[in-house]
Amino acid sequence: MFESVSGWTTTGLSVLDVSEVSPMFLFHRGFMQYCGGLGFVMVMTLFVVNRQSMNLVLAEGHSDQLAPNLSRTVRLICLMYTTFLMLGTAAYRLAGMNVFDSLIHAMCALSTGGFSTRAQSIGYYQSPLIEFITVVLMLIGTTNFAALLLLMRGQMRKFLAVSEIRFLGLILAAAIPLTALVLFCAAYTGLPGSFRIAFFEVISALSTSGFSTVGYADWPQAAVFLLILMMLIGGGIGSTAGGLKLTRVYLMLRGLSDHLRRRGTPRQTVSCSFYTRPQGKTVIDQKLLEGTSCFVFCYFLIYLGGTFLLMLTANCTLIEAMFDFASALGTVGLSIGITGPATPALALIVEMAGMLLGRLEIFILLAGIRTVFLRLKIAICR
């Protein structure tokens, strides 16, 4: 059950020794993540479309419509997804992976899942080229499908104008050198090696992919904190990634900036803020900020509650619980060491709940639970 939930939610946390299981099972896990990246509803929409399909697709976080109708949008996304899978598999094969490993890693990198055929993940190969290919696939997976469509059509100026893409670049430009500096000062001796490790691990955490090249047992807590922050932020909205999503964090920061600016200007001053989506400029109005703020607040409540429960059930430290539950809730897949074959069942249940809440849009799920509760209440009263 844990591996299935981790696969369909594209989390990548695992309690298995992959060296002891069959290739068929490894393919099954990878294929679950590949389909989970699209979303279960998105996959089913390939075959069945009805009046509720759009609501269900929105519930999985696919907020942008790439074509005039849902059927064409789904087919276009699947075509893009499959094209990148074939290119990624070919690139891995040329870099020295065998065919089986190439296919599995391409599926799991694009879905920002992180299941690997090797216990050491990408670190097993000790190849800068394989790491670079993985980074490219992870960035593709964490990018909004609508923005990817602009890129595939050669509309580079429009692609780079998208606020989420710019914000992604800004975060990486700040987090990678900072993490490399912390690692160089406290964990590794060479600056180039520290930068290479930080480059891969930060992108893996921010894209919520969960691949790794090193373990984190010897990492300083400052570097672990930076990875936790990346996992909480997460990838692009309308992509295969999890977390709060870049757009929501960007809107919160823009809202804070606009609030501070208004406090220093006369009350009669009227201003209007915009942000750029792949479809064009969009007004940042009060309703949008209110919905974003409520989502972020709810997300952190769940994160704090899950961290507390994980400390109780796994008997671990605060940092360990914060890291692994951020990984579960953000559908990342990285672990500081407490998730494995010896993890207590209650702790795995807490993590599975986090994965499901992180993969689905929280408000939709809570609204569904509330509806079920009200119907049960009415039925009992009758």
Side-chain angles (χ1 to χ4, degrees), residues 309-332:
L309 290 175
L310 199 56
M311 280 192 294
L312 290 179
T313 55
N315 192 26
C316 59
T317 66
L318 174 62
I319 290 293
E320 289 173 336
M322 289 178 66
F323 190 96
D324 274 45
F325 194 74
S327 181
L329 186 61
T331 67
V332 181

Side-chain angles (χ1 to χ4, degrees), residues 295-317:
F295 184 94
V296 172
F297 180 71
C298 187
Y299 193 91
F300 274 104
L301 281 181
I302 293 171
Y303 175 61
L304 293 174
T307 300
F308 176 72
L309 290 175
L310 199 56
M311 280 192 294
L312 290 179
T313 55
N315 192 26
C316 59
T317 66

Side-chain angles (χ1 to χ4, degrees), residues 11-259:
T11 302
L13 285 171
S14 179
V15 292
L16 294 178
D17 182 355
V18 293
S19 63
E20 300 294 330
V21 296
S22 69
M24 180 60 74
F25 184 76
L26 294 177
F27 176 80
H28 173 61
R29 291 198 323 162
F31 189 69
M32 276 195 299
Q33 284 204 332
Y34 180 70
C35 294
L38 281 174
F40 182 77
V41 173
M42 184 74 75
V43 173
M44 295 307 297
T45 307
L46 282 169
F47 309 101
V48 180
V49 179
N50 57 36
R51 288 180 298 175
Q52 294 299 324
S53 295
M54 180 56 78
N55 291 333
L56 292 171
V57 168
L58 292 174
E60 283 196 315
H62 297 284
S63 57
D64 288 315
Q65 194 165 331
L66 277 62
N69 59 66
L70 180 59
S71 297
R72 289 182 61 187
T73 295
V74 172
R75 287 197 294 269
L76 185 55
I77 288 176
C78 290
L79 177 62
M80 293 167 59
Y81 205 51
T82 306
T83 300
F84 285 127
L85 173 64
M86 292 188 294
L87 292 175
T89 303
Y92 274 134
R93 186 71 187 94
L94 292 173
M97 274 191 189
N98 61 51
V99 176
F100 181 76
D101 285 6
S102 298
L103 177 62
I104 301 302
H105 284 96
M107 286 195 295
C108 296
L110 280 174
S111 64
T112 63
F115 277 152
S116 177
T117 58
R118 306 292 177 177
Q120 300 87 1
S121 190
I122 298 298
Y124 168 85
Y125 300 97
Q126 294 295 309
S127 168
L129 180 57
I130 288 177
E131 291 173 20
F132 178 75
I133 293 169
T134 307
V135 164
V136 172
L137 292 176
M138 290 190 296
L139 289 175
I140 290 173
T142 200
T143 302
N144 188 323
F145 281 113
L148 283 175
L149 185 60
L150 293 177
L151 187 62
M152 293 182 70
R153 288 174 173 172
Q155 298 173 308
M156 183 62 68
R157 183 173 295 180
K158 289 185 177 181
F159 174 77
L160 295 176
V162 176
S163 299
E164 191 173 72
I165 300 300
R166 292 188 173 190
F167 189 52
L168 172 64
L170 181 63
I171 290 177
L172 293 178
I176 291 174
L178 182 58
T179 305
L181 182 62
V182 172
L183 293 177
F184 174 66
C185 293
Y188 304 106
T189 54
L191 186 58
S194 299
F195 186 86
R196 173 183 164 184
I197 292 169
F199 181 77
F200 187 92
E201 302 300 326
V202 167
I203 292 177
S204 180
L206 184 64
S207 66
T208 72
S209 297
F211 285 117
S212 62
T213 56
V214 295
Y216 306 118
D218 299 327
W219 273 39
Q221 290 195 351
V224 173
F225 170 78
L226 288 171
L227 285 192
I228 292 174
L229 185 60
M230 296 298 104
M231 290 190 290
L232 289 174
I233 293 173
I237 202 164
S239 71
T240 67
L244 280 169
K245 303 295 178 61
L246 289 163
T247 293
R248 291 193 179 101
V249 178
Y250 174 80
L251 289 173
M252 291 295 292
L253 293 174
R254 280 291 303 272
L256 175 61
S257 174
D258 292 343
H259 177 74

